[in-house]
Amino acid sequence: MSATLASPAPSGFGRMTLRLVLIGAVLILALLPVLNQMPTDSALHVSDFVVTVCGKWITYAVLALAIDLAWGYAGILSLGHGAFFALGGYAMGMHLMRLIGPRGVYGHPVLPDFMVFLGYQELPWYWLGFDHFPFAILMAMAVPGLLALVVGYLAFRSRITGVYLSIITQAMTYALMLAFFRNDMGFGGNNGFTDFKELLGMPLNTPNARSVLFYASLALLLGALWLCSAVTRSKLGRVLVAIRDAESRVRFLGYDVTQHKLFVFVLSAVLAGLAGALYVPQVGIINPGEFSPANSIEAVIWVAVGGRGTLLGALLGAFSVNALKTWLTTVAPDLWLFALGGLFVAVTLFLPRGLIGLFTKAPK
Amino acid sequence: MNAAQLTAPAPDPLLYLDGVSVVFDGFKALNALSLIIDPGELRAIIGPNGAGKTTMMDVITGKTRPTEGVVRFRDHDLTKLDEASIANLGIGRKFQKPTMFDKLTVFENLELALKAPRGPLACLRWVLGGGDRARIEQTLEEVGLASRAHDLAGVLSHGQRQWLEIGMLLMQDPELLLVDEPVAGMTDQETEHTAALLVRIAGRRSVVVVEHDLEFVRALGSKVTVLCEGSMLSEGSIDHVQNDPRVIEVYLGR
Ligand SMILES: Nc1ncnc2c1ncn2[C@@H]1O[C@H](COP(=O)(O)OP(=O)(O)OP(=O)(O)O)[C@@H](O)[C@H]1O
Ligand SMILES: [Mg+2]
């Protein structure tokens, strides 16, 4: 039965081989924090930098998966997914700020430094609860999810699709960026949050914390991959593909397209929020720049380069483009934006199915 | 038998259109059109190109809102409902230009059309049961696509696309089937098969067929409505309308 129902599987390179490559890649990734503990003079030693950078890329890969689910399958090209990622990041940032406690420069027992500096007398109401880790994680999912629900409902109900939807989501992240830049929002203005001390009782910037965050990100990635492939392999996945390719025809079959799009858009935003929540403690900072429209566009390019509508392509794109970025921004930082644009154009012209298309045959 | 029984009113119509007009930029695609379809009725609709046949189906299925007029299905006012709600009331449609999901297989296209809960969570949890599979396979046989079940719909020929869309319509099991030009691109034998299929469905279901092929319409053996310039020109048996001078002038005589 599964054979008849599975959507066209990547043949040629073979589904089995692909799975093996994936398992191999995960195992190698999983080894990194272990190799990091090896003596520095060992040939197998991996630097702190590599562990942190890979941990960061893993959260990017989750963001790419989230985008692929909405864009590659349901045809919702969001150019504002960076906002969901950043909101998740801010939720975690607020938790990390609360955990600093009296260790701030001003030594205030409750208020973060920037609030003392700005003359706050007490914690704003919307900061309450963020001293609890589960609450912060809940908010990292709920806030992006609710935003996606509201924006998605308004847009999908009015049948806004294609480039108009992209513009709306782009405007959404831009508006949030401007809002978070304001000092009176209570989110640290343009400096955002940084100087975090600890998380879950672990001092940050220690090998232990690095490993834990790394493995948490890897677990999130695998969980997200499992969830997304469960969605895309179900009948819901086929409804989404149908909506992507012939939205109006789906309606005449009796499907409420708005509901289906909302479901996938909210799920996608929640995944992006969780990715952001794990990104922030690893990079040690969150500021309004994360809402910049360019970030969202870059994340869409990862998916386009990797190959949309395949899930694995999104992962491939996120890792390879970011590897290129990390390398290029050290050797020739000025070239990065040109390289990114050029890469996007080249893939669109010569590899319409993305990098993953190099390894898999087109479905008949 | 007494007189009251003889003049007993017809059963409540399933579909009721009255005074329906559709204006596109000042052009009247439908002009005060009235049409009544009874439960179980098979009705053929003919008329020259641009007569408004497809527009009439657009109005019934919620794709186009009438500028004025009444459109009722049982006691539902269709002018107030969206496409999905209308489909869920039990109105299925085959489009003039066959439209399906090219990146899904023939089987998957039928599976999406199969009558089943339509919400996202229901679709996520959906497991194809043995009965559903049997129904899909039976339909595949019926429309002659059993050997193509696992091919992508995008690679089918025009005639096969016609059949797949008819199959999707059957899977929905609607109470009213709106069938727009089903036999365009079919061989004579397929045309006969389609006519027999639609006749068989009617009785249990109401079927409205738009077609230019008069041989086919004759094979349906049903009441025929002739549309012209957005309103009804003539109505009756195929022989009646074929001998109606007005029909000959605008349509058959060309
Ligand atoms: N969305 C639209 N906007 C403007 N004009 C339209 C629209 N849809 C249909 N028309 C016009 O309305 C008239 C009726 O079109 P319709 O498609 O209903 O005709 P038809 O009877 O189905 O013809 P055919 O036999 O060619 O399929 C045509 O002149 C068509 O150009
Ligand atoms: Mg037509």
Side-chain angles (χ1 to χ4, degrees), chain B residues 146-157:
Chain B
S147 63
R148 309 299 304 267
H150 302 301
D151 291 338
L152 294 184
V155 305
L156 298 183
S157 70

Side-chain angles (χ1 to χ4, degrees), chain A residues 15 20 63 67 73 104 116-117 142 176 198 251 266 292 299-300 326:
Chain A
R15 218 183 156 70
L20 285 179
L63 174 59
I67 291 173
Y73 289 88
V116 179
F117 180 76
L176 282 168
E198 60 169 276
R251 289 204 177 90
V266 169
S292 122
V300 165
T326 303

Side-chain angles (χ1 to χ4, degrees), chain B residues 196-242:
Chain B
L197 176 66
L198 293 176
V199 170
R200 207 166 353 117
I201 292 167
R204 284 179 295 132
R205 306 291 179 209
S206 301
V207 182
V208 175
V209 194
V210 164
E211 197 35 89
H212 284 292
D213 182 335
L214 289 181
E215 277 307 304
F216 171 80
V217 171
R218 185 170 287 281
L220 293 177
S222 69
K223 187 168 167 184
V224 179
T225 297
V226 186
L227 284 195
C228 184
E229 291 176 1
S231 19
M232 191 213 290
L233 186 67
S234 180
E235 198 166 74
S237 71
I238 179 83
D239 290 321
H240 170 82
V241 301
Q242 271 187 317

Side-chain angles (χ1 to χ4, degrees), chain A residues 31-40 42-51:
Chain A
L31 269 180
L32 291 181
V34 179
L35 299 180
N36 178 236
Q37 311 279 11
M38 305 277 278
T40 358
S42 155
L44 290 175
H45 175 79
V46 161
S47 68
D48 296 351
F49 173 78
V50 169
V51 175

Side-chain angles (χ1 to χ4, degrees), chain A residues 1-6 238, chain B residues 107-108 111 126-130 133 150:
Chain A
M1 175 176 118
S2 56
T4 58
L5 285 184
R238 297 189 279 284
Chain B
F107 189 98
E108 290 167 339
E111 185 202 21
W126 163 262
V127 184
L128 186 76
R133 166 169 293 273
H150 302 301

Side-chain angles (χ1 to χ4, degrees), chain A:
Chain A
M1 175 176 118
S2 56
T4 58
L5 285 184
S7 35
S11 53
F13 194 61
R15 218 183 156 70
M16 227 23 232
T17 327
L18 246 151
R19 201 165 286 173
L20 285 179
V21 170
L22 183 70
I23 292 172
V26 169
L27 286 180
I28 293 174
L29 275 178
L31 269 180
L32 291 181
V34 179
L35 299 180
N36 178 236
Q37 311 279 11
M38 305 277 278
T40 358
D41 52 3
S42 155
L44 290 175
H45 175 79
V46 161
S47 68
D48 296 351
F49 173 78
V50 169
V51 175
T52 310
V53 162
C54 286
K56 184 173 94 171
W57 291 351
I58 294 175
T59 64
Y60 285 159
V62 175
L63 174 59
L65 267 184
I67 291 173
D68 195 28
L69 186 66
W71 180 36
Y73 289 88
I76 305 168
L77 175 51
S78 161
L79 292 182
H81 256 55
F84 303 132
F85 184 82
L87 285 171
Y90 264 94
M92 178 59 89
M94 289 163 81
H95 178 59
L96 293 165
M97 290 304 271
R98 291 300 315 274
L99 292 184
I100 295 174
R103 283 171 288 185
V105 176
Y106 294 104
H108 193 287
V110 175
L111 294 186
D113 278 346
F114 77 88
M115 288 192 190
V116 179
F117 180 76
L118 289 173
Y120 279 69
Q121 294 307 309
E122 56 179 15
L123 213 55
W125 62 268
Y126 48 84
W127 273 74
L128 297 176
F130 277 94
D131 45 337
H132 301 291
F133 179 78
F135 181 80
I137 291 293
L138 183 72
M139 287 297 122
M141 299 194 284
V143 173
L146 276 177
L147 179 64
L149 188 70
V150 172
V151 172
Y153 178 74
L154 295 174
F156 303 148
R157 192 198 49 169
S158 319
R159 304 196 178 175
I160 293 171
T161 54
V163 78
Y164 298 99
L165 185 91
S166 304
I167 291 171
I168 285 178
T169 50
Q170 179 95 121
M172 171 190 83
T173 196
Y174 187 63
L176 282 168
M177 179 176 76
L178 296 184
F180 275 77
F181 264 127
R182 297 169 59 100
N183 280 329
D184 53 11
M185 280 283 285
F187 295 114
N190 60 355
N191 294 319
F193 308 143
T194 188
D195 281 333
F196 308 132
K197 307 288 186 218
E198 60 169 276
L199 180 60
L200 291 171
M202 304 174 299
L204 292 171
N205 267 320
T206 56
N208 182 33
R210 255 193 302 276
S211 313
V212 169
L213 288 169
F214 184 94
Y215 286 124
S217 307
L218 195 57
L220 174 66
L221 178 65
L222 292 178
L225 186 60
W226 173 81
L227 188 67
C228 291
S229 68
V231 168
T232 56
R233 283 200 309 232
S234 72
K235 185 164 98 173
L236 175 60
R238 297 189 279 284
V239 174
L240 296 178
V241 167
I243 290 174
R244 178 191 72 193
D245 294 343
E247 176 167 333
S248 126
R249 187 68 182 89
V250 183
R251 289 204 177 90
F252 290 106
L253 288 180
Y255 291 92
D256 184 338
V257 168
T258 304
Q259 275 183 27
H260 287 265
K261 283 184 153 184
L262 262 186
F263 180 88
V264 72
F265 194 53
V266 169
L267 177 62
S268 173
V270 169
L271 286 177
L274 280 174
L278 279 171
Y279 166 83
V280 167
Q282 299 190 77
V283 298
I285 182 167
I286 172 85
N287 62 36
E290 293 295 337
F291 286 103
S292 122
N295 279 24
S296 294
I297 294 173
E298 202 170 313
V300 165
I301 294 179
W302 306 336
V303 179
V305 167
R308 73 180 179 122
T310 59
L311 298 184
L312 291 185
L315 304 187
L316 188 61
F319 283 108
S320 52
V321 176
N322 280 296
L324 182 70
K325 181 178 184 175
T326 303
W327 173 71
L328 209 60
T329 44
T330 43
V331 298
D334 296 342
L335 286 184
W336 168 238
L337 278 182
F338 296 103
L340 184 68
L343 188 66
F344 181 61
V345 172
V347 165
T348 317
L349 290 180
F350 304 114
L351 281 178
R353 292 170 53 242
L355 291 177
I356 197 103
L358 292 172
F359 307 108
T360 59
K361 253 200 249 152
K364 284 171 293 173

Side-chain angles (χ1 to χ4, degrees), chain B residues 53-55 96 180-181 210:
Chain B
K53 306 180 294 293
T54 299
T55 305
Q96 180 167 354
D180 202 347
E181 304 206 7
V210 164

